C-alpha cells in the first residue's frame, strides 16, 4: 500500500517552512506529517498515477531525512 498526502507532504513542508521564515525542526516536520490528510491506495494504483500531476513525494516513514536532504540541495542551488 502507498500513502498519498493531499496536498503533497513536500509542498506542505515547503509552505510551513516559508511561513515560519526558518528551517523546521525534526519535531515540527514529524508533527505536520502526522496531522495532515492522506490516503492509502494499492501500490499498483500509485504506480499508475500520472507523474505530471506531481504525485511523487517524500517517504513519510523517512520524512525528516528526506526533507533534510531536499532542503540542503535547495539551499546549495540558491544563488
Amino acid at each position: 500500500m502507498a500513502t498519498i498526502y493531499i496536498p503533497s507532504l513536500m509542498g506542505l513542508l515547503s509552505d510551513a517552512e516559508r511561513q515560519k521564515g526558518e528551517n523546521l525542526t525534526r519535531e515540527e516536520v514529524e508533527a505536520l506529517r502526522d496531522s495532515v490528510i492522506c490516503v492509502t491506495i494499492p501500490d499498483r494504483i500509485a504506480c499508475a498515477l500520472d507523474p505530471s500531476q506531481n504525485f511523487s513525494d517524500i517517504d513519510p516513514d523517512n520524512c525528516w531525512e528526506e526533507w533534510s536532504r531536499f532542503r540542503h540541495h535547495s539551499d546549495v542551488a540558491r544563488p
Side-chain angles (χ1 to χ4, degrees):
M1 298 296 281
T3 303
I4 307 291
Y5 283 80
I6 305 168
S8 73
L9 190 53
M10 183 72 73
L12 291 165
L13 293 170
S14 295
D15 289 345
E17 197 159 274
R18 194 172 18 263
Q19 288 178 4
K20 182 179 179 187
E22 59 187 42
N23 292 345
L24 297 172
T25 65
R26 181 184 193 118
E27 292 78 18
E28 290 169 325
V29 168
E30 291 174 352
L32 184 64
R33 173 204 59 198
D34 295 343
S35 67
V36 296
I37 296 172
C38 63
V39 295
T40 304
I41 60 175
D43 288 330
R44 64 182 171 72
I45 294 173
C47 290
L49 292 174
D50 183 355
S52 70
Q53 297 298 313
N54 198 22
F55 286 109
S56 81
D57 204 357
I58 59 178
D59 177 6
D61 293 329
N62 298 309
C63 70
W64 172 248
E65 293 79 8
E66 290 190 22
W67 174 248
S68 296
R69 273 194 303 275
F70 169 79
R71 184 175 53 211
H72 173 73
H73 291 334
S74 295
D75 289 343
V76 169
R78 287 186 205 159

Coordinates of all heavy atoms in Angstrom, one line a residue:
M1 N 0.8 -1.2 0.0 CA 0.0 0.0 0.0 C 0.9 1.2 0.0 O 2.0 1.3 0.6 CB -0.9 0.0 1.2 CG -1.9 -1.2 1.3 SD -3.1 -1.2 0.0 CE -4.3 0.0 0.6
A2 N 0.4 2.3 -0.7 CA 1.1 3.5 -0.8 C 0.3 4.6 -0.1 O -0.9 4.7 -0.2 CB 1.4 3.9 -2.2
T3 N 1.0 5.5 0.6 CA 0.4 6.6 1.3 C 0.6 7.9 0.4 O 1.7 8.2 0.0 CB 1.0 6.9 2.7 OG1 0.8 5.7 3.4 CG2 0.3 8.0 3.4
I4 N -0.5 8.5 0.1 CA -0.5 9.7 -0.7 C -1.0 10.9 0.1 O -2.1 10.8 0.7 CB -1.4 9.6 -2.0 CG1 -1.1 8.3 -2.8 CG2 -1.4 10.8 -2.8 CD1 0.2 8.4 -3.5
Y5 N -0.2 11.9 0.2 CA -0.6 13.1 1.0 C -1.3 14.1 0.1 O -0.9 14.3 -1.1 CB 0.6 13.8 1.7 CG 1.0 13.0 2.9 CD1 1.8 11.8 2.8 CD2 0.6 13.4 4.2 CE1 2.1 11.1 3.9 CE2 1.0 12.7 5.3 CZ 1.7 11.5 5.1 OH 2.1 10.8 6.2
I6 N -2.3 14.8 0.6 CA -3.1 15.7 -0.2 C -3.2 17.0 0.6 O -3.9 17.1 1.6 CB -4.5 15.2 -0.4 CG1 -4.4 13.8 -1.1 CG2 -5.4 16.1 -1.3 CD1 -5.7 13.0 -1.1
P7 N -2.5 18.1 0.1 CA -1.5 18.1 -0.9 C -0.3 17.4 -0.5 O -0.2 16.8 0.6 CB -1.3 19.6 -1.1 CG -1.6 20.3 0.2 CD -2.7 19.4 0.8
S8 N 0.7 17.4 -1.4 CA 1.9 16.6 -1.2 C 2.6 17.0 0.1 O 2.6 18.2 0.6 CB 2.9 16.8 -2.3 OG 3.5 18.1 -2.3
L9 N 3.2 16.1 0.8 CA 4.0 16.4 2.0 C 5.1 17.4 1.7 O 5.4 18.3 2.5 CB 4.5 15.0 2.6 CG 5.1 15.1 4.0 CD1 4.2 15.7 5.0 CD2 5.5 13.6 4.4
M10 N 5.7 17.2 0.6 CA 6.8 18.1 0.2 C 6.3 19.6 0.1 O 6.9 20.5 0.6 CB 7.4 17.7 -1.1 CG 8.6 18.6 -1.6 SD 10.1 18.3 -0.6 CE 10.5 16.7 -1.2
G11 N 5.1 19.7 -0.5 CA 4.5 21.0 -0.6 C 4.1 21.6 0.7 O 4.3 22.8 1.0
L12 N 3.5 20.8 1.6 CA 3.1 21.2 2.9 C 4.3 21.7 3.7 O 4.3 22.7 4.4 CB 2.4 20.1 3.6 CG 1.0 19.7 3.1 CD1 0.5 18.4 3.6 CD2 0.0 20.8 3.4
L13 N 5.4 20.9 3.7 CA 6.6 21.2 4.5 C 7.2 22.5 3.9 O 7.7 23.4 4.7 CB 7.6 20.1 4.4 CG 7.2 18.8 5.2 CD1 8.1 17.7 4.9 CD2 7.1 19.1 6.7
S14 N 7.3 22.7 2.6 CA 7.8 23.9 2.0 C 7.0 25.1 2.4 O 7.6 26.1 2.8 CB 7.8 23.8 0.5 OG 8.7 22.8 0.0
D15 N 5.7 25.0 2.4 CA 4.9 26.1 2.8 C 5.0 26.4 4.3 O 5.1 27.6 4.7 CB 3.4 25.8 2.5 CG 3.0 25.8 1.1 OD1 3.8 26.3 0.2 OD2 2.0 25.3 0.7
A16 N 5.1 25.4 5.1 CA 5.3 25.6 6.6 C 6.6 26.3 6.9 O 6.7 27.2 7.7 CB 5.2 24.3 7.3
E17 N 7.6 25.9 6.2 CA 9.0 26.5 6.4 C 9.0 27.9 5.9 O 9.6 28.8 6.5 CB 10.0 25.7 5.7 CG 11.4 26.0 6.3 CD 12.4 24.8 6.0 OE1 12.4 23.9 6.8 OE2 13.1 24.9 5.0
R18 N 8.4 28.2 4.8 CA 8.3 29.5 4.2 C 7.5 30.5 5.2 O 8.0 31.6 5.5 CB 7.6 29.5 2.9 CG 7.8 30.8 2.0 CD 7.3 30.7 0.6 NE 6.4 29.6 0.2 CZ 6.8 28.4 -0.3 NH1 8.0 28.2 -0.6 NH2 5.9 27.6 -0.6
Q19 N 6.4 30.0 5.7 CA 5.6 30.8 6.7 C 6.4 31.0 8.0 O 6.3 32.1 8.6 CB 4.3 30.1 7.0 CG 3.3 30.1 5.9 CD 2.0 29.4 6.2 OE1 1.8 28.9 7.3 NE2 1.2 29.3 5.2
K20 N 7.2 30.0 8.4 CA 7.9 30.2 9.7 C 9.1 31.1 9.5 O 9.5 31.8 10.4 CB 8.4 28.8 10.1 CG 9.2 28.8 11.4 CD 9.6 27.4 11.9 CE 10.4 27.5 13.2 NZ 11.0 26.2 13.5
G21 N 9.7 31.1 8.3 CA 10.8 32.0 8.0 C 12.1 31.4 8.4 O 13.1 32.1 8.3
E22 N 12.1 30.2 8.8 CA 13.4 29.5 9.1 C 13.1 28.0 9.0 O 12.0 27.5 8.8 CB 13.9 29.8 10.5 CG 12.9 29.5 11.6 CD 13.4 30.1 13.0 OE1 13.9 31.2 13.0 OE2 13.3 29.3 14.0
N23 N 14.2 27.2 9.1 CA 14.1 25.8 9.0 C 13.2 25.2 10.0 O 13.2 25.6 11.2 CB 15.5 25.1 9.1 CG 16.4 25.4 7.9 OD1 15.9 25.9 6.9 ND2 17.6 25.2 8.0
L24 N 12.4 24.2 9.6 CA 11.6 23.4 10.5 C 12.5 22.5 11.3 O 13.5 22.0 10.8 CB 10.5 22.6 9.8 CG 9.5 23.4 9.0 CD1 8.7 22.4 8.1 CD2 8.6 24.2 9.9
T25 N 12.1 22.2 12.5 CA 12.8 21.2 13.4 C 12.3 19.8 13.0 O 11.2 19.7 12.4 CB 12.5 21.5 14.9 OG1 11.2 21.2 15.1 CG2 13.0 22.9 15.3
R26 N 13.0 18.8 13.4 CA 12.5 17.4 13.2 C 11.1 17.2 13.8 O 10.3 16.6 13.2 CB 13.5 16.5 13.8 CG 13.1 15.0 13.6 CD 14.0 14.0 14.3 NE 13.8 12.7 13.9 CZ 14.6 11.9 13.2 NH1 15.8 12.3 13.0 NH2 14.2 10.7 12.8
E27 N 10.9 17.8 15.0 CA 9.6 17.6 15.7 C 8.5 18.3 14.9 O 7.4 17.8 14.8 CB 9.7 18.2 17.1 CG 10.6 17.4 18.1 CD 12.1 17.7 17.9 OE1 12.5 18.7 17.2 OE2 12.9 16.8 18.3
E28 N 8.8 19.4 14.3 CA 7.8 20.1 13.5 C 7.5 19.4 12.2 O 6.3 19.3 11.8 CB 8.3 21.6 13.2 CG 8.3 22.5 14.4 CD 9.0 23.8 14.1 OE1 10.0 23.8 13.3 OE2 8.6 24.8 14.7
V29 N 8.5 18.8 11.6 CA 8.3 18.1 10.4 C 7.4 16.8 10.6 O 6.5 16.6 10.0 CB 9.6 17.6 9.7 CG1 9.5 16.6 8.6 CG2 10.4 18.9 9.2
E30 N 7.8 16.1 11.7 CA 7.0 14.9 12.0 C 5.6 15.2 12.5 O 4.7 14.5 12.2 CB 7.8 14.1 13.0 CG 9.1 13.5 12.4 CD 10.0 12.8 13.3 OE1 9.8 12.8 14.6 OE2 11.0 12.2 12.9
A31 N 5.5 16.3 13.3 CA 4.1 16.7 13.7 C 3.2 17.0 12.5 O 2.0 16.7 12.5 CB 4.2 17.8 14.7
L32 N 3.8 17.8 11.6 CA 3.0 18.1 10.4 C 2.6 16.8 9.6 O 1.5 16.7 9.2 CB 3.8 19.1 9.5 CG 3.1 19.6 8.2 CD1 1.9 20.4 8.6 CD2 4.0 20.4 7.4
R33 N 3.6 16.0 9.4 CA 3.3 14.7 8.7 C 2.2 13.9 9.4 O 1.3 13.4 8.7 CB 4.6 13.8 8.7 CG 4.4 12.4 8.2 CD 5.4 11.4 8.7 NE 5.3 11.3 10.1 CZ 6.3 10.8 10.9 NH1 7.4 10.3 10.3 NH2 6.2 10.7 12.2
D34 N 2.1 13.9 10.7 CA 1.2 13.2 11.5 C -0.2 13.8 11.5 O -1.2 13.2 12.0 CB 1.7 12.9 12.9 CG 2.9 12.0 12.9 OD1 3.2 11.3 11.9 OD2 3.6 12.0 13.9
S35 N -0.3 15.1 11.1 CA -1.6 15.8 11.3 C -2.3 16.2 10.0 O -3.4 16.8 10.1 CB -1.3 17.1 12.1 OG -0.5 18.0 11.3
V36 N -1.7 15.9 8.9 CA -2.4 16.3 7.6 C -3.1 15.1 7.0 O -3.0 13.9 7.4 CB -1.3 16.9 6.6 CG1 -0.7 18.1 7.2 CG2 -0.2 15.9 6.3
I37 N -3.9 15.4 6.0 CA -4.7 14.4 5.3 C -3.9 13.6 4.3 O -3.1 14.1 3.6 CB -5.9 15.1 4.5 CG1 -6.8 15.9 5.5 CG2 -6.6 14.1 3.6 CD1 -7.8 16.8 4.8
C38 N -4.1 12.3 4.4 CA -3.5 11.4 3.5 C -4.5 10.2 3.2 O -5.4 10.0 4.0 CB -2.2 10.9 4.0 SG -2.3 9.9 5.5
V39 N -4.2 9.5 2.1 CA -5.0 8.4 1.8 C -4.0 7.2 1.5 O -2.9 7.5 1.1 CB -5.9 8.6 0.5 CG1 -7.0 9.6 0.8 CG2 -5.1 9.0 -0.7
T40 N -4.5 6.0 1.7 CA -3.7 4.8 1.4 C -4.3 4.1 0.2 O -5.5 3.9 0.2 CB -3.6 3.9 2.6 OG1 -3.1 4.7 3.7 CG2 -2.7 2.7 2.3
I41 N -3.5 3.9 -0.8 CA -4.0 3.2 -2.0 C -3.1 2.0 -2.4 O -2.0 2.0 -2.0 CB -4.2 4.2 -3.2 CG1 -2.8 4.8 -3.6 CG2 -5.2 5.3 -2.9 CD1 -2.8 5.6 -4.8
P42 N -3.6 1.1 -3.1 CA -2.8 -0.1 -3.5 C -1.6 0.4 -4.4 O -1.7 1.4 -5.1 CB -3.7 -0.9 -4.4 CG -5.1 -0.6 -3.9 CD -5.0 0.9 -3.6
D43 N -0.4 -0.2 -4.2 CA 0.8 0.1 -4.9 C 0.6 0.2 -6.4 O 1.1 1.1 -7.1 CB 1.9 -0.8 -4.6 CG 2.4 -0.7 -3.2 OD1 2.4 0.5 -2.6 OD2 2.9 -1.7 -2.6
R44 N -0.2 -0.8 -6.9 CA -0.4 -0.8 -8.4 C -1.1 0.4 -8.9 O -0.8 0.9 -10.0 CB -1.1 -2.1 -8.8 CG -2.5 -2.2 -8.3 CD -3.2 -3.5 -8.7 NE -4.4 -3.7 -8.1 CZ -5.6 -3.1 -8.3 NH1 -5.6 -2.2 -9.3 NH2 -6.7 -3.3 -7.7
I45 N -2.0 1.0 -8.1 CA -2.7 2.2 -8.5 C -1.7 3.4 -8.3 O -1.6 4.3 -9.2 CB -3.9 2.4 -7.7 CG1 -5.0 1.3 -8.0 CG2 -4.5 3.8 -7.9 CD1 -6.2 1.3 -7.2
A46 N -0.9 3.4 -7.3 CA 0.0 4.5 -7.0 C 1.0 4.6 -8.2 O 1.4 5.7 -8.6 CB 0.7 4.3 -5.7
C47 N 1.5 3.4 -8.6 CA 2.5 3.4 -9.8 C 1.9 3.9 -11.1 O 2.6 4.4 -11.9 CB 3.0 2.0 -9.9 SG 4.0 1.4 -8.6
A48 N 0.6 3.8 -11.2 CA -0.1 4.2 -12.4 C -0.5 5.7 -12.4 O -0.9 6.2 -13.4 CB -1.4 3.3 -12.6
L49 N -0.3 6.4 -11.3 CA -0.6 7.8 -11.3 C 0.2 8.6 -12.2 O 1.4 8.3 -12.4 CB -0.5 8.3 -9.8 CG -1.4 7.8 -8.8 CD1 -1.0 8.3 -7.4 CD2 -2.8 8.2 -9.1
D50 N -0.4 9.5 -12.8 CA 0.3 10.4 -13.8 C 1.4 11.2 -13.2 O 1.1 12.0 -12.3 CB -0.7 11.3 -14.5 CG -0.2 12.1 -15.6 OD1 1.1 12.1 -15.8 OD2 -0.9 12.8 -16.3
P51 N 2.7 11.0 -13.5 CA 3.8 11.7 -12.9 C 3.7 13.2 -13.1 O 4.1 14.0 -12.3 CB 5.0 11.2 -13.5 CG 4.6 10.2 -14.6 CD 3.2 10.0 -14.5
S52 N 3.0 13.7 -14.2 CA 2.9 15.1 -14.5 C 1.9 15.8 -13.5 O 1.9 17.0 -13.4 CB 2.4 15.3 -15.9 OG 1.0 14.9 -16.0
Q53 N 1.2 15.0 -12.7 CA 0.3 15.5 -11.7 C 1.0 15.7 -10.4 O 0.4 16.0 -9.4 CB -0.9 14.6 -11.5 CG -1.8 14.5 -12.8 CD -2.4 15.8 -13.2 OE1 -2.9 16.5 -12.3 NE2 -2.2 16.1 -14.4
N54 N 2.3 15.5 -10.4 CA 3.2 15.7 -9.2 C 2.8 14.9 -8.0 O 2.6 15.4 -6.9 CB 3.2 17.2 -8.8 CG 4.3 17.6 -7.9 OD1 5.3 16.9 -7.9 ND2 4.2 18.7 -7.2
F55 N 2.6 13.6 -8.2 CA 2.2 12.7 -7.1 C 3.5 12.2 -6.4 O 3.3 11.5 -5.4 CB 1.4 11.5 -7.6 CG -0.1 11.9 -7.9 CD1 -0.5 12.0 -9.1 CD2 -0.9 12.3 -6.8 CE1 -1.8 12.3 -9.4 CE2 -2.2 12.7 -7.1 CZ -2.7 12.7 -8.4
S56 N 4.7 12.4 -6.9 CA 5.9 12.0 -6.2 C 6.0 12.8 -5.0 O 5.8 14.0 -5.0 CB 7.1 12.0 -7.1 OG 7.6 13.3 -7.2
D57 N 6.5 12.2 -3.9 CA 6.6 12.9 -2.7 C 7.7 12.2 -1.8 O 8.2 11.2 -2.3 CB 5.2 12.8 -1.9 CG 5.0 13.9 -0.9 OD1 5.9 14.7 -0.7 OD2 3.9 13.9 -0.3
I58 N 7.9 12.8 -0.7 CA 8.9 12.2 0.2 C 8.3 11.0 1.0 O 7.1 11.0 1.2 CB 9.6 13.2 1.1 CG1 8.6 13.9 2.0 CG2 10.4 14.2 0.3 CD1 9.2 14.9 2.9
D59 N 9.1 10.1 1.4 CA 8.6 8.9 2.1 C 8.2 9.3 3.5 O 9.1 9.8 4.3 CB 9.7 7.9 2.1 CG 9.3 6.6 2.9 OD1 8.2 6.5 3.4 OD2 10.2 5.8 3.1
P60 N 7.0 9.2 3.9 CA 6.6 9.6 5.3 C 7.3 8.9 6.4 O 7.5 9.5 7.5 CB 5.0 9.3 5.3 CG 4.8 8.4 4.2 CD 5.8 8.6 3.2
D61 N 7.8 7.7 6.1 CA 8.5 6.9 7.2 C 9.9 7.5 7.4 O 10.5 7.3 8.4 CB 8.6 5.5 6.8 CG 7.2 4.8 6.9 OD1 6.4 5.2 7.7 OD2 7.0 3.8 6.1
N62 N 10.4 8.2 6.4 CA 11.7 8.8 6.4 C 11.7 10.3 6.1 O 12.6 10.8 5.5 CB 12.7 8.1 5.4 CG 12.9 6.7 5.7 OD1 13.2 6.3 6.9 ND2 12.7 5.8 4.7
C63 N 10.6 10.9 6.5 CA 10.3 12.3 6.1 C 11.4 13.3 6.6 O 11.8 14.2 5.9 CB 8.9 12.8 6.5 SG 8.7 13.0 8.2
W64 N 11.9 13.1 7.8 CA 12.9 14.1 8.3 C 14.2 14.0 7.5 O 14.7 15.0 7.0 CB 13.2 13.8 9.8 CG 14.4 14.7 10.2 CD1 15.6 14.2 10.6 CD2 14.4 16.1 10.3 NE1 16.4 15.3 10.9 CE2 15.7 16.4 10.8 CE3 13.5 17.1 10.1 CZ2 16.1 17.8 11.0 CZ3 13.9 18.4 10.3 CH2 15.2 18.7 10.7
E65 N 14.7 12.7 7.2 CA 15.9 12.6 6.4 C 15.7 13.1 5.0 O 16.6 13.8 4.5 CB 16.3 11.1 6.4 CG 16.7 10.5 7.8 CD 15.5 10.2 8.7 OE1 14.4 10.2 8.3 OE2 15.8 9.9 9.9
E66 N 14.6 12.7 4.4 CA 14.4 13.1 3.0 C 14.2 14.6 2.9 O 14.7 15.3 2.0 CB 13.2 12.4 2.4 CG 13.6 10.9 2.1 CD 12.6 10.2 1.3 OE1 11.8 10.8 0.5 OE2 12.6 8.9 1.4
W67 N 13.5 15.2 3.9 CA 13.2 16.7 3.9 C 14.6 17.4 4.1 O 14.9 18.4 3.4 CB 12.2 17.0 5.0 CG 12.1 18.5 5.1 CD1 12.5 19.3 6.2 CD2 11.6 19.4 4.1 NE1 12.2 20.6 5.9 CE2 11.6 20.7 4.7 CE3 11.0 19.3 2.9 CZ2 11.2 21.9 4.0 CZ3 10.6 20.4 2.2 CH2 10.7 21.7 2.7
S68 N 15.4 16.9 5.0 CA 16.7 17.5 5.2 C 17.6 17.5 4.0 O 18.2 18.5 3.7 CB 17.4 16.8 6.4 OG 16.7 16.9 7.6
R69 N 17.6 16.3 3.3 CA 18.3 16.3 2.0 C 17.8 17.2 1.0 O 18.6 18.0 0.3 CB 18.3 14.8 1.4 CG 19.4 13.9 2.0 CD 19.5 12.7 1.2 NE 18.3 11.9 1.1 CZ 17.9 11.0 2.0 NH1 18.6 10.8 3.0 NH2 16.8 10.3 1.8
F70 N 16.5 17.3 0.8 CA 15.9 18.2 -0.2 C 16.2 19.6 0.2 O 16.6 20.4 -0.7 CB 14.3 18.0 -0.2 CG 13.6 19.1 -0.9 CD1 13.6 19.0 -2.3 CD2 13.0 20.1 -0.3 CE1 12.9 20.0 -3.0 CE2 12.4 21.1 -1.0 CZ 12.3 21.1 -2.4
R71 N 16.1 20.0 1.5 CA 16.3 21.4 1.9 C 17.8 21.7 1.7 O 18.1 22.8 1.2 CB 16.0 21.5 3.4 CG 16.1 23.0 3.8 CD 15.6 23.2 5.2 NE 16.3 22.2 6.1 CZ 15.7 21.7 7.2 NH1 14.5 22.1 7.5 NH2 16.4 20.9 8.0
H72 N 18.7 20.8 2.0 CA 20.1 21.0 1.8 C 20.4 21.3 0.3 O 21.1 22.2 -0.1 CB 21.0 19.9 2.3 CG 22.4 20.0 1.9 ND1 23.2 20.9 2.6 CD2 23.2 19.3 1.0 CE1 24.5 20.8 2.1 NE2 24.4 19.9 1.1
H73 N 19.9 20.4 -0.6 CA 20.1 20.6 -2.0 C 19.5 21.9 -2.5 O 20.0 22.5 -3.4 CB 19.6 19.4 -2.8 CG 20.3 18.2 -2.6 ND1 21.6 18.1 -2.3 CD2 20.0 16.8 -2.7 CE1 22.1 16.9 -2.1 NE2 21.0 16.1 -2.4
S74 N 18.3 22.3 -2.0 CA 17.7 23.5 -2.4 C 18.5 24.7 -2.0 O 18.7 25.7 -2.7 CB 16.3 23.6 -1.8 OG 15.5 22.7 -2.3
D75 N 19.1 24.7 -0.8 CA 20.0 25.7 -0.3 C 21.2 25.9 -1.1 O 21.7 27.0 -1.4 CB 20.3 25.5 1.2 CG 19.2 25.7 2.1 OD1 18.1 26.3 1.7 OD2 19.3 25.2 3.3
V76 N 21.8 24.7 -1.5 CA 23.0 24.7 -2.3 C 22.7 25.3 -3.7 O 23.6 26.1 -4.2 CB 23.6 23.3 -2.5 CG1 24.7 23.2 -3.5 CG2 24.1 22.8 -1.1
A77 N 21.6 25.1 -4.2 CA 21.2 25.5 -5.6 C 20.9 27.0 -5.6 O 20.9 27.6 -6.7 CB 20.0 24.7 -6.1
R78 N 20.6 27.6 -4.5 CA 20.2 29.1 -4.5 C 21.5 29.9 -4.7 O 22.5 29.6 -4.2 CB 19.6 29.5 -3.1 CG 18.2 28.9 -3.0 CD 17.6 29.5 -1.7 NE 16.6 28.5 -1.3 CZ 16.1 28.4 -0.1 NH1 16.5 29.2 0.8 NH2 15.2 27.5 0.2
P79 N 21.3 31.0 -5.5 CA 22.5 31.9 -5.7 C 22.8 32.7 -4.5 O 22.1 32.9 -3.6 CB 22.0 32.8 -6.8 CG 20.5 32.6 -6.9 CD 20.2 31.4 -6.2

